[in-house]
């Protein structure tokens, strides 16, 4: 009976051992070449939290990395993934981000690839909602945090040490880092002059490197197994049309899909909050996006991109003005954000597509916070101009 009981355990251990000792290069050779292209629109969490797929993507001139958060999942015919598929401009947008992916998460991700960013064009979609007074909270940070990227930062000697220390101090305020005794010790030793802490970190480093190696292998196996294939509704109706035509069609579709409210929110989204709408009137009185810890986190991203020689275009998405007025969110609290974020970006010499003047533009937003039909048309035009090195990246931005 004991032999029967232990046989599966022994077999499982042997299989695990074999999987661990297989050289990474062997696993990489088994990964289909098509995996990178499939990942461009999958919005796969494993891809965000790993590094192999993004590293391969950055090696190719075929992809234009597009960083953001939940708006990337709002696919319609005007979404960049569809527009540039139907109108071949020589590149494919590669979507990186999901709900709750804010500056610090993007910073960690980008630190993995600093040597690949020199001269690399990319698009970075900013959401005002990131800029809450206390910045990203646990509910947004925890699901998007990558342990692999956290450990890689500990051993990263390529980025500016001052920048690294500032990032580590912020990361140490979040529970996944605090509760990881080995990583938190490495981090604390990095920012401390405490010889005892540094001696402890030195003893832990060999174990941390082994653990990091296991995380890298896990990333490769997930990539080999493949992601999940979302059903993406792709439309050819945007092919070969002028920006004026596309804007007209965006207005028509927006009007058709947003009939049951005066906020220009899609009927389906409004139905989800309809019962709560009366209770939400003026509940945001006194709020502002002009003061937030997030500006510090965002500066880490800007500093890293500048140090790496990247060429980003930032998309400044507005809020839904009618809805924000209804909730009592002061106009001044929004304007402060638009001005501050623009100044912060331009101070580093980067381009920005400033769409803040479209708060009240019908169908620019799809709901209370996410960019919609017309907003994507303007974004597509900005991206195309940017990719073509047209410094008027933002013909329609103002």
């Amino acid at each position: 009976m004991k032999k029967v009981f232990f046989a599966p355990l022994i077999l499982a251990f042997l299989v695990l051992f074999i999987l661990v000792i297989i050289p990474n290069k062997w696993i990489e050779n088994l990964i289909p070449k098509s995996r990178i292209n499939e990942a461009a629109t999958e919005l796969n969490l494993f891809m965000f939290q790993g590094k192999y797929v993004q590293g391969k993507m950055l090696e190719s001139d075929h992809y234009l990395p597009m960083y953001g958060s939940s708006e990337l999942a709002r696919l319609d015919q005007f979404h960049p993934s569809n527009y540039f598929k139907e109108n071949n401009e020589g590149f494919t947008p590669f979507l990186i981000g999901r709900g709750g992916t804010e500056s610090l998460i993007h910073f960690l991700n980008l630190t993995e690839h600093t040597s690949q960013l020199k001269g690399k064009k990319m698009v970075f979609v900013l959401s005002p909602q990131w800029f809450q007074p206390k910045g990203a909270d646990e509910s947004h940070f925890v699901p998007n945090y990558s342990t692999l990227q956290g450990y890689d930062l500990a051993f990263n000697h390529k980025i500016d040490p001052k920048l690294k220390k500032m990032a580590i101090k912020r990361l140490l305020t979040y529970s996944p880092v605090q509760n990881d005794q080995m990583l938190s010790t490495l981090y604390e030793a990095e920012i401390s002059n405490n010889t005892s802490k540094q001696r402890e970190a030195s003893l832990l480093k060999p174990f941390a490197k082994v653990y990091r190696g296991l995380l890298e292998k896990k990333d490769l196996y997930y990539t080999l197994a493949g992601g999940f294939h979302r059903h993406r509704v792709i439309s050819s109706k945007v092919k070969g049309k002028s920006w004026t035509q596309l804007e007209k069609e965006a207005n028509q579709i927006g009007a058709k899909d947003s009939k049951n409210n005066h906020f220009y929110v899609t009927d389906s989204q409004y139905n989800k909050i309809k019962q709560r709408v009366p209770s939400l009137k003026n509940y945001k009185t006194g709020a502002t996006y002009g003061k937030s810890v997030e500006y510090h986190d965002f500066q880490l991203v800007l500093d890293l991109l500048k140090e790496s020689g990247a060429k980003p275009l930032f998309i400044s998405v507005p809020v839904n003005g009618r809805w924000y007025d209804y909730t009592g969110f002061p106009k001044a609290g929004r304007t402060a954000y638009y001005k501050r974020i623009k100044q912060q970006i331009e101070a580093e010499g980067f381009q920005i597509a400033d769409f803040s003047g479209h708060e009240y533009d019908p169908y620019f937003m799809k709901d209370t916070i996410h960019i919609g039909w017309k907003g994507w048309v303007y974004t597509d035009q900005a991206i195309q101009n940017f990719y073509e090195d047209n410094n008027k990246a933002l013909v329609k931005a103002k």
Side-chain angles (χ1 to χ4, degrees), residues 43 66-75 79 95-97 125:
L43 296 170
M66 189 168 179
Y67 301 87
S69 49
S70 55
E71 72 286 331
L72 298 181
R74 267 60 179 182
L75 189 76
H79 188 288
L95 309 180
I96 305 167
V125 184

Side-chain angles (χ1 to χ4, degrees), residues 122-136:
M122 61 180 64
V123 176
F124 209 109
V125 184
L126 295 171
S127 296
Q129 295 75 28
W130 294 2
F131 292 81
Q132 304 292 338
K134 294 182 180 180

Side-chain angles (χ1 to χ4, degrees), residues 366-379:
K366 184 167 279 189
D367 49 35
T368 59
I369 59 174
H370 295 110
I371 195 166
W373 314 273
K374 191 192 295 186
W376 283 132
V377 173
Y378 280 54
T379 300

Side-chain angles (χ1 to χ4, degrees), residues 321-391:
R322 288 174 176 79
W323 175 255
Y324 268 62
D325 287 347
Y326 180 81
T327 62
F329 197 114
K331 180 76 172 175
R334 287 125 62 179
T335 302
Y337 159 76
Y338 298 135
K339 288 183 178 179
R340 183 171 178 179
I341 204 68
K342 188 171 187 289
Q343 290 171 353
Q344 194 173 1
I345 291 167
E346 291 182 336
E348 303 303 332
F350 295 139
Q351 292 189 53
I352 178 173
D354 180 7
F355 295 136
S356 60
H358 294 275
E359 273 198 353
Y360 298 98
D361 193 348
Y363 319 122
F364 199 91
M365 306 298 288
K366 184 167 279 189
D367 49 35
T368 59
I369 59 174
H370 295 110
I371 195 166
W373 314 273
K374 191 192 295 186
W376 283 132
V377 173
Y378 280 54
T379 300
D380 292 338
Q381 187 176 11
I383 291 173
Q384 182 175 314
N385 287 337
F386 168 70
Y387 191 80
E388 294 174 350
D389 282 326
N390 183 343
N391 287 327

Side-chain angles (χ1 to χ4, degrees), residues 180-196:
D180 187 330
Q181 189 171 356
M182 186 158 58
L183 181 62
S184 61
T185 299
L186 295 180
Y187 277 3
E188 288 165 3
E190 184 86 27
I191 61 175
S192 167
N193 292 321
N194 186 314
T195 54
S196 174

